[in-house]
Amino acid sequence: MTANEAVSAWGARLDTLVENKLTLSHDEAELHLYETFQQANLIQLRFNAPVMTSMLSGRKVMHLRETDPFDYCPGESLLLPSDRLMQIDFPDATIDEPTRCMALTISDEFIRETIHQLNQEVPRVEAVDQWQLNTDNYLMQNNPEISSLTDKLTRLFRENNAFRPFYIKNTLRELIVRLSQTQVRTNLLLQTSQHVNTNRLAYVVAYIRQNLTRALSVEELSDKACLSKSHFFRLFKSELGVSPAQFILTERIQQAKTILRNPAKTVTDACYESGFNSLTHFSNTFRAIERVSPRQFKRQIK
């Protein structure tokens, strides 16, 4: 394929081979779809509103203030504040395999209104904590919910019907809430020790990790959190995105993976040392979460 034959994936006229852009607007947001068809270095980009960018295909190298350059790949999203300069390399882009990404700018006021409503209607477990959305160079792996919402927004922005503004606004609200939940969850899980004395859910997470090899009931965990069973269950799922039982299973599988990486350990060792009491249950749970069996996982890491 030649440069003259290159066609935008979104049906727009191809104006340039570097950061060819299609922009679609809404009262509260703008969706920018970018394609680059040739290698380029240090292309500058900035937006006049908070922005969420997501990689769709190919690879970029991002240069941001106060951070080392890093690869930016499909499945990842980046949140940036208004007017933050990005300098971007496109090391792999070609006519046949372009680099594609989306950038969604959202009104700062709309973000504040949505987060305020969230704090009013679904307060966090600790009164001193608030839902918020950190847009300061926040790089994250997309979870299924966020990937689904960005795909949905891309489709909605391109629709032409009377309900389009209503659908977009509601989907934007859900995206903001999901992003805030993801940030809170990541903070609690990766920095548990920093919050264990001030946040009851962080304390429970640490307790679960220390007692993975024995049976843990919701009643026991809610007692540790000094909350009623129903209140604990609701708050746990609200802030961590899964039920206590699902979280325990995920943590056990993470421990099992660590055990399986040890050449001296067997699948049976991983099963019982991570808190499972049945090889069948262990294998089924492992496959459901990791998409491979424990034996396949162990073979892959040899």
Side-chain angles (χ1 to χ4, degrees), residues 159-188:
E159 284 187 355
N160 183 21
N161 64 64
F163 296 98
R164 173 179 173 272
F166 178 82
Y167 292 148
I168 289 175
K169 190 170 185 177
N170 282 328
T171 307
L172 287 171
R173 286 194 185 280
E174 182 178 353
L175 178 63
I176 291 167
V177 171
R178 295 281 189 184
L179 289 171
S180 181
Q181 284 182 299
T182 299
Q183 291 182 350
V184 164
R185 186 180 314 146
T186 301
N187 192 34
L188 281 176

Side-chain angles (χ1 to χ4, degrees), residues 18-290:
V18 178
E19 290 291 70
N20 186 70
K21 181 175 70 169
L22 171 66
T23 296
L24 303 164
S25 298
H26 176 269
D27 288 346
E28 309 294 351
E30 282 190 337
L31 178 69
H32 309 274
L33 300 170
Y34 290 93
E35 298 170 293
T36 294
F37 293 87
Q38 67 181 28
Q39 294 181 12
N41 293 312
L42 298 178
I43 302 302
Q44 294 192 354
L45 188 64
R46 69 170 82 220
F47 297 93
N48 60 3
V51 61
M52 172 187 177
T53 71
S54 293
M55 286 299 295
L56 304 178
S57 67
R59 176 175 67 102
K60 295 180 178 180
V61 177
M62 301 293 291
H63 303 259
L64 300 175
R65 188 182 70 192
E66 299 174 357
T67 64
D68 293 331
F70 60 90
D71 284 351
Y72 189 27
C73 301
E76 296 179 329
S77 289
L78 179 65
L79 300 179
L80 292 169
S82 174
D83 204 37
R84 178 61 52 84
L85 176 66
M86 294 176 267
Q87 296 188 91
I88 308 167
D89 297 339
F90 298 88
D92 309 321
T94 66
I95 290 292
D96 294 316
E97 295 186 0
T99 298
R100 295 190 173 100
C101 78
M102 59 152 279
L104 178 70
T105 59
I106 307 175
S107 157
D108 202 18
E109 182 179 355
F110 185 73
I111 293 173
R112 286 196 301 269
E113 288 175 356
T114 302
I115 293 297
H116 176 73
Q117 183 179 356
L118 179 61
N119 280 307
Q120 292 292 110
E121 297 184 10
V122 191
R124 291 190 57 193
V125 64
E126 304 298 346
V128 295
D129 292 329
Q130 293 280 300
W131 296 106
Q132 55 187 326
L133 188 61
N134 175 15
T135 60
D136 192 10
N137 292 9
Y138 195 96
L139 180 66
M140 53 184 268
Q141 290 286 331
N142 294 342
N143 59 35
E145 291 82 9
I146 289 173
S147 293
S148 176
L149 287 168
T150 55
D151 289 345
K152 183 179 180 180
L153 281 166
T154 301
R155 174 177 57 80
L156 288 173
F157 266 91
R158 301 184 70 202
E159 284 187 355
N160 183 21
N161 64 64
F163 296 98
R164 173 179 173 272
F166 178 82
Y167 292 148
I168 289 175
K169 190 170 185 177
N170 282 328
T171 307
L172 287 171
R173 286 194 185 280
E174 182 178 353
L175 178 63
I176 291 167
V177 171
R178 295 281 189 184
L179 289 171
S180 181
Q181 284 182 299
T182 299
Q183 291 182 350
V184 164
R185 186 180 314 146
T186 301
N187 192 34
L188 281 176
L189 296 183
L190 296 184
Q191 302 176 29
T192 307
S193 61
Q194 297 180 25
H195 304 284
V196 73
N197 294 322
T198 58
N199 185 289
R200 281 172 283 183
L201 291 186
Y203 177 81
V204 169
V205 166
Y207 183 81
I208 289 171
R209 288 171 172 167
Q210 293 162 6
N211 293 274
L212 271 179
T213 56
R214 66 178 188 81
L216 293 167
S217 68
V218 173
E219 288 82 2
E220 179 182 357
L221 298 178
S222 61
D223 284 345
K224 293 294 179 183
C226 300
L227 295 166
S228 70
K229 179 181 174 181
S230 60
H231 196 201
F232 167 75
F233 187 92
R234 181 181 66 79
L235 290 174
F236 192 100
K237 192 162 187 179
S238 169
E239 296 206 15
L240 294 177
V242 293
S243 69
Q246 289 170 316
F247 178 77
I248 291 168
L249 285 178
T250 301
E251 289 291 306
R252 284 176 174 164
I253 293 302
Q254 292 306 309
Q255 181 161 306
K257 287 166 63 179
T258 300
I259 296 168
L260 288 170
R261 291 188 180 99
N262 183 342
K265 295 289 186 176
T266 67
V267 169
T268 300
D269 293 332
C271 169
Y272 294 107
E273 290 178 21
S274 60
F276 290 89
N277 55 20
S278 160
L279 272 171
T280 300
H281 184 214
F282 170 62
S283 295
N284 290 341
T285 303
F286 195 102
R287 184 184 292 276
I289 292 174
E290 297 296 325

Side-chain angles (χ1 to χ4, degrees), residues 1-8 14 16-17 37-38 94-96:
M1 184 186 297
T2 67
N4 290 334
E5 294 171 332
V7 177
S8 166
L14 199 63
T16 175
L17 294 182
F37 293 87
Q38 67 181 28
T94 66
I95 290 292
D96 294 316

